[in-house]
Amino acid sequence: MKVILMEDVKALGKKGDIVKVSDGYARNMILPKKLGVEANAKNLNDLKLRNQHEEKVAQENLAKAKELAEEIGSKEVTVTLKTGEGGKTFGSVSTKEIAAAAKEQIDMELDKKKMQLPDGGLKTLGVHEVKIKFHPKVTGTLKVKVTEE
């Protein structure tokens, strides 16, 4: 019997896969536990429509991410850092501070977990480029200007 899996089943397949299993396994395990449905014409058509919808949503998300990355490429955020005698800095600028400054200065909500800083954060004064991952395929760059407090 051919079955369309509705959830991942260990050693059988992933969600959306069409697999051939014995009739007894399908009747006693897959169908009662709602792990899959029989691969008839209606269910195959539903699977095809669901896949098309998921693909369309993925394309829209990718387009939005590209647009956001392009928009953020032209923006700059200013963050202050405590300095001592001779321009020696104390501490570093974290992603949390950058996200807060972006919300305040350019009115954009950025996820601090998606920012990629050099090891230890930004520890020097000047302009730094911070990479932000908007999508697995799209990475944008935000200019962060670190100034004296």
Side-chain angles (χ1 to χ4, degrees):
M1 175 185 281
K2 284 193 175 185
V3 176
I4 301 170
L5 297 178
M6 302 307 282
E7 293 181 27
D8 292 353
V9 179
K10 191 173 182 180
L12 194 58
K14 300 229 180 259
K15 178 180 179 179
D17 287 352
I18 300 171
V19 293
K20 185 171 176 70
V21 295
S22 69
D23 291 348
Y25 187 62
R27 256 194 322 269
N28 297 320
M29 178 73 173
I30 302 290
L31 299 177
K33 291 189 177 184
K34 308 250 189 272
L35 298 174
V37 293
E38 187 178 347
N40 56 26
K42 180 196 178 300
N43 291 336
L44 287 170
N45 190 38
D46 289 347
L47 175 68
K48 180 180 165 189
L49 292 174
R50 190 177 320 122
N51 288 343
Q52 287 175 348
H53 177 69
E54 287 173 0
E55 189 176 311
K56 181 182 174 190
V57 169
Q59 290 293 331
E60 289 172 358
N61 288 342
L62 181 62
K64 285 179 187 175
K66 284 181 180 177
E67 185 179 303
L68 193 58
E70 196 173 295
E71 181 182 337
I72 207 153
S74 62
K75 307 275 183 177
E76 183 176 274
V77 173
T78 305
V79 181
T80 59
L81 187 61
K82 252 187 184 172
T83 55
E85 226 173 273
K88 182 174 173 16
T89 60
F90 297 109
S92 64
V93 177
S94 67
T95 56
K96 184 178 179 181
E97 293 167 336
I98 295 170
K103 181 174 175 136
E104 182 182 308
Q105 294 171 20
I106 59 175
D107 197 35
M108 290 186 91
E109 291 273 343
L110 298 176
D111 188 0
K112 67 180 182 177
K113 294 175 187 162
K114 295 186 178 183
M115 291 184 196
Q116 300 168 338
L117 292 180
D119 289 335
L122 305 178
K123 295 183 177 186
T124 58
L125 301 177
V127 178
H128 302 277
E129 290 187 348
V130 175
K131 297 206 178 291
I132 303 171
K133 206 164 190 162
F134 294 110
H135 187 273
K137 297 178 182 176
V138 180
T139 304
T141 305
L142 174 67
K143 288 186 179 121
V144 178
K145 185 177 181 181
V146 182
T147 59
E148 290 185 51
E149 190 172 282

